[in-house]
Amino acid sequence: MTFNTVFKYALEVIGKIENAGGEAYIVGGSVRDYLSGHSVGDIDIATSEPPARIQEIFEKVIPVGIEHGTVIVRHESNSYEVTTYRTEKGYEDFRRPDEVTFVRDIKLDLARRDFTMNAIAMNRQGQVVDPYEGQQAIKHQVICAVGDPFERFKEDPLRMMRAVRFVSQLGYDVVHETKEALSSQAELLQHISIERIAMETQKLFAGENYKKALDLLCETGLQKYLPVLNSMLSERSYPEQSLKSWHEIISFFIQRCPECSIDRFVKLWKLSNRTKKQAEQLCKALKRYEKAQKVTPWLVYQLPEELFHPFVRVCTALGMDKEEFSSSLWGVKDNLPIQTSKEMAFQARHLIALYPNRQKGPWISEIMEQIEQGIVQLQVENDYEKIKEWIKTWNPPENS
Ligand code: ATP
Ligand code: MG
């Protein structure tokens, strides 16, 4: 795709800022991805104008971080992060700069950026401003810090995880000095919030070159600051395929290390309850698979469809044969006699009626699950009379 098609609406945003007397460039990851031939995701724009001016120029502006100079401009149903050129000073708390200063020169803004490949700006005509030879870095497929890497990682240690994550996504090498700085500054990662590290770690496991990235993590000692994963990564217990989400990552490592618990993972990494639930469902399915040594109807019935692809990925990551699962999960699902318990021809009220003298208790849900399983596994047809007779064969009513 050409520059004008990829950036069509972003260029219109830049045009509007220029017509209002300002200056604006496309910057960051989208420039890197465009120049390196990768697909372009979110497009960021840097501008000479302060947020208040941007709010005047555009109708729909969402003020997401005015104090840092960032607003979101909505244009033609797209969102663009528009940030005023700025420099940053002091990172006393290792979190955010103590002070940001708005400036009028794009080159000063590029100087605060992490890697040379991320410090290229493109104007409306597609001309580049590239003071750190970012294009050369892309050409040679290398990751190189802007300025002194030791200082830059000290300012914001998360940049170290970003470097490794980019290795995974792009397959690039980290240049010598920047790599040395990864090793020497690794311990500073402990000052960074686990939520931010978690986002980079997830992207790392999802990247095509994740094995190369994991090797680099271990080589530099950065893996020491990744809770739970630390020891398994040190033993080079790597997945055999990339993993796209935290529930996949957790399930893989739990299978590999039975002493680990999902609760500990979720707690130490501060992950969501949804991730926890999905990891539990995946782990349950993996256990069922291990026990039966095949994909059973009951396994498929209990696994939500949105976890089919994750299940296949984790199985492949564990070294199981991919072919076996790819088609069978969906095939088995299509042939299930029921898709949910609501479709059962025999419900709890029927069961209670069958045993009128029994006190209500946990036996009801236990037997209902056995019936559900019986229907799904084709031990009994989903038919009221047939189920009723079938139950009596293994749970005869007391007074009959
Ligand atoms: P992604 O593909 O994940 O969006 P990206 O490079 O666009 O990658 P963003 O987090 O969207 O990453 O940041 C946009 C740009 O902001 C980066 O390309 C880089 O120039 C700059 N940037 C982001 N985080 C940092 C950081 N921690 N230190 C310095 N510059 C940063
Ligand atoms: Mg981005």
Side-chain angles (χ1 to χ4, degrees):
M1 283 221 278
T2 64
F3 177 74
N4 284 310
T5 23
V6 174
F7 295 109
K8 184 167 192 272
Y9 297 117
L11 297 180
E12 290 177 10
V13 171
I14 293 178
K16 279 197 167 191
I17 298 174
E18 286 180 356
N19 288 341
E23 200 183 89
Y25 290 87
I26 304 166
V27 286
S30 62
V31 174
R32 175 196 70 227
D33 291 337
Y34 170 73
L35 292 174
S36 61
H38 286 84
S39 62
V40 168
D42 293 342
I43 299 172
D44 296 330
I45 293 171
T47 180
S48 55
E49 300 309 293
R53 269 301 282 150
I54 301 298
Q55 283 173 310
E56 284 167 13
I57 299 171
F58 294 94
E59 254 171 47
K60 284 187 232 157
V61 179
I62 308 162
V64 284
I66 297 242
E67 64 286 10
H68 296 110
T70 304
V71 295
I72 287 182
V73 168
R74 296 276 303 157
H75 175 65
E76 298 283 347
S77 307
N78 296 302
S79 295
Y80 298 96
E81 220 175 86
V82 177
T83 305
T84 308
Y85 303 158
R86 60 171 208 229
T87 56
E88 298 170 350
K89 248 205 260 125
Y91 283 75
E92 287 302 313
D93 62 354
F94 293 108
R95 234 177 277 144
R96 47 184 65 88
D98 300 337
E99 200 184 312
V100 310
T101 313
F102 297 147
V103 291
R104 300 291 300 180
D105 181 355
I106 179 71
K107 287 197 179 133
L108 294 175
D109 179 88
L110 295 175
R112 74 170 166 91
R113 294 175 184 270
D114 49 5
F115 303 108
T116 60
M117 63 181 184
N118 289 340
I120 311 170
M122 279 179 113
N123 72 5
R124 202 144 67 97
Q125 286 73 39
Q127 292 159 335
V128 295
V129 180
D130 182 15
Y132 301 100
E133 301 190 343
Q135 290 173 104
Q136 279 296 324
I138 290 170
K139 189 172 157 212
H140 294 113
Q141 310 210 324
V142 291
I143 297 168
C144 175
V146 170
D148 179 351
F150 298 87
E151 282 303 313
R152 302 310 307 283
F153 294 159
K154 201 164 120 194
E155 268 175 10
D156 179 3
L158 186 75
R159 289 173 187 153
M160 297 188 280
M161 284 305 291
R162 282 175 58 86
V164 184
R165 175 265 277 203
F166 286 126
V167 167
S168 178
Q169 290 179 327
L170 304 168
Y172 291 9
D173 290 312
V174 178
V175 297
H176 181 73
E177 205 193 0
T178 301
K179 194 164 153 183
E180 296 274 287
L182 286 177
S183 303
S184 84
Q185 309 294 48
E187 63 168 353
L188 296 179
L189 200 59
Q190 59 194 309
H191 299 292
I192 297 296
S193 79
I194 195 69
E195 290 94 332
R196 293 178 78 204
I197 298 177
M199 285 192 328
E200 297 302 327
T201 305
Q202 189 252 310
K203 289 181 184 173
L204 189 164
F205 275 101
E208 219 174 291
N209 307 281
Y210 68 95
K211 281 191 185 173
K212 180 171 178 171
L214 292 175
D215 276 341
L216 181 64
L217 267 187
C218 296
E219 199 186 322
T220 53
L222 279 164
Q223 101 287 1
K224 286 186 215 148
Y225 307 95
L226 307 184
V228 197
L229 299 176
N230 169 16
S231 58
M232 282 176 283
L233 291 179
S234 302
E235 291 162 14
R236 299 290 194 274
S237 189
Y238 295 172
E240 285 302 318
Q241 105 124 62
S242 58
L243 299 167
K244 307 290 181 207
S245 56
W246 265 107
H247 45 277
E248 292 171 37
I249 300 170
I250 296 174
S251 309
F252 170 81
F253 284 103
I254 295 276
Q255 285 301 109
R256 275 288 165 86
C257 166
E259 310 91 78
C260 300
S261 82
I262 299 179
D263 282 356
R264 204 168 109 84
F265 237 116
V266 169
K267 198 166 156 214
L268 292 181
W269 281 90
K270 297 204 181 145
L271 301 167
S272 68
N273 282 335
R274 186 177 154 76
T275 294
K276 183 176 166 193
K277 180 150 188 242
Q278 291 181 315
E280 284 165 353
Q281 286 171 317
L282 270 179
C283 286
K284 217 183 222 175
L286 288 161
K287 291 235 163 61
R288 291 205 166 109
Y289 179 78
E290 229 176 18
K291 206 166 156 207
Q293 285 296 308
K294 62 175 190 226
V295 172
T296 61
W298 185 239
L299 182 164
V300 174
Y301 176 81
Q302 293 268 302
L303 188 66
E305 196 168 356
E306 83 239 24
L307 293 178
F308 282 15
H309 281 297
F311 179 79
V312 175
R313 272 194 293 271
V314 177
C315 287
T316 316
L318 288 162
M320 301 176 194
D321 181 12
K322 189 176 177 171
E323 293 308 308
E324 200 180 326
F325 312 97
S326 303
S327 50
S328 66
L329 287 170
W330 286 268
V332 171
K333 183 170 172 70
D334 283 346
N335 288 319
L336 289 175
I338 55 170
Q339 296 292 338
T340 75
S341 62
K342 288 199 193 85
E343 294 171 35
M344 288 165 70
F346 198 94
Q347 294 289 338
R349 62 192 148 87
H350 300 128
L351 186 66
I352 293 163
L354 193 62
Y355 303 99
N357 301 328
R358 276 198 206 172
Q359 271 209 338
K360 288 192 184 137
W363 64 273
I364 299 176
S365 57
E366 280 161 25
I367 296 190
M368 285 310 294
E369 188 176 312
Q370 286 187 53
I371 302 170
E372 196 176 2
Q373 200 168 347
I375 297 170
V376 171
Q377 302 271 42
L378 303 179
Q379 288 164 282
V380 61
E381 206 180 305
N382 188 25
D383 172 279
Y384 173 77
E385 288 299 335
K386 288 191 176 141
I387 295 169
K388 195 168 151 185
E389 290 313 307
W390 180 67
I391 305 169
K392 285 184 191 162
T393 64
W394 45 267
N395 200 330
E398 302 84 350
N399 52 357
S400 64

